[in-house]
Amino acid sequence: MARNKRLLLLLTVLISLGSSANLLFADESGGAGINETCPVTEGEPVDEAIYAEFEGRTVYFCCQRCRRMFLKDPGSYTARLASIPSKGHDHESDHGNAAQAPLATKDRTLRFAGKFHPVVVHFPIAMLMFSCLFAGLSLATKRRDYLIVSRYLILWGAPVTVLAALLGWSAWSQATYSGELLKTLEFHRWLGTTAAILSLVALVLSERHWRSPTLIRQKIAFISLAIVAGLVGVAGHFGGMLIFGMEYYKW
């Protein structure tokens, strides 16, 4: 039992370190923005979380793909950038309209909650995949200690998957993607939602086998975990495309 606890503790620490690595290496540069719309995709509102430093200024973009395109060849967009109104300009004098009203509390809450989706989502990805791995090892070797690790991972992983999906819906409600990226977002959203629902099913099946173990129940639980792990992996792939662009894996 002590050996099982040490194994579970070590695995939990490794998952936690890997899942939070994105925080350690986050880009801490920033500053006041200078443009209201994206210099790459004309007319597209910018996302204040996506920016780059250019000639001592902070340039905002609508998505990571546009940011990479700009950094690859900034000279192609400098003229367009110069024509975009600054965030510090006077709406009323320039456009004849009053300044935009601040976001409602509901929208501010959703936008803030959605920011945690990219952080939280790493935990269920790791937990569900490792739960599937150890369930498979237990099925192949008949060792109960592997089953114990798999059980604890799905016990934690399923609720966190649901939380990540809810935060993802919050992020989706404030998203400004268009075109192919919007289609990718929809794939990502519904795959993640399906994975969250099926993770609860996998949890129930896993607990059913744990409380009354039979070979057929163990196989069913493993298959359900494999399906969920696959869905989470594919959903994560589409999420990566939203951040790094449609052609990220192009050879």
Side-chain angles (χ1 to χ4, degrees):
M1 183 61 69
R3 179 185 176 186
N4 293 336
K5 289 183 177 180
R6 288 195 298 270
L7 178 61
L8 181 60
L9 177 61
L10 176 61
L11 185 61
T12 303
V13 171
L14 291 175
I15 290 174
S16 300
L17 290 175
S19 301
S20 57
N22 60 314
L23 295 178
L24 299 177
F25 297 99
D27 184 3
E28 297 180 354
S29 63
I34 64 168
N35 54 298
E36 290 188 320
T37 58
C38 182
V40 179
T41 304
E42 291 186 85
E44 191 71 20
V46 298
D47 183 342
E48 294 185 4
I50 304 174
Y51 54 83
E53 296 298 322
F54 175 67
E55 295 184 349
R57 302 177 299 176
T58 302
V59 183
Y60 279 63
F61 304 91
C62 65
C63 63
Q64 290 286 357
R65 177 176 177 273
C66 288
R67 179 179 182 273
R68 287 197 308 276
M69 291 178 64
F70 179 87
L71 293 177
K72 185 177 180 179
D73 185 17
S76 299
Y77 306 102
T78 50
R80 186 183 301 170
L81 178 62
S83 66
I84 297 176
S86 168
K87 280 184 174 293
H89 79 297
D90 188 338
H91 278 269
E92 188 169 2
S93 61
D94 290 353
H95 303 297
N97 297 319
Q100 293 182 347
L103 289 175
T105 302
K106 176 184 175 182
D107 292 330
R108 288 172 60 88
T109 302
L110 288 173
R111 185 175 67 175
F112 182 74
K115 292 180 179 181
F116 290 92
H117 174 69
V119 178
V120 174
V121 77
H122 292 80
F123 288 92
I125 291 175
M127 288 179 174
L128 294 178
M129 288 188 171
F130 274 106
S131 179
C132 177
L133 172 63
F134 280 96
L137 290 174
S138 176
L139 184 62
T141 63
K142 311 301 181 184
R143 289 181 56 175
R144 185 173 175 80
D145 52 349
Y146 289 146
L147 185 62
I148 293 173
V149 175
S150 175
R151 178 182 181 238
Y152 277 104
L153 286 172
I154 188 63
L155 280 173
W156 282 97
V160 177
T161 303
V162 174
L163 174 61
L166 292 174
L167 293 175
W169 276 77
S170 296
W172 167 80
S173 68
Q174 304 297 311
T176 58
Y177 292 108
S178 60
E180 289 299 319
L181 285 177
L182 180 59
K183 295 179 182 178
T184 302
L185 175 62
E186 290 302 305
F187 277 117
H188 176 65
R189 177 166 67 108
W190 288 110
L191 282 171
T193 302
T194 303
I197 295 172
L198 292 183
S199 70
L200 297 177
V201 175
L203 173 59
V204 171
L205 294 174
S206 176
E207 283 298 291
R208 186 184 178 195
H209 167 64
W210 177 263
R211 298 177 187 278
S212 182
T214 64
L215 181 59
I216 186 63
R217 287 181 177 178
Q218 186 177 15
K219 289 181 178 180
I220 292 174
F222 170 70
I223 291 173
S224 67
L225 282 171
I227 293 173
V228 172
L231 283 174
V232 167
V234 176
H237 167 71
F238 281 109
M241 291 174 66
L242 290 173
I243 296 175
F244 299 109
M246 302 293 294
E247 300 181 354
Y248 180 68
Y249 288 106
K250 185 176 180 180
W251 183 259

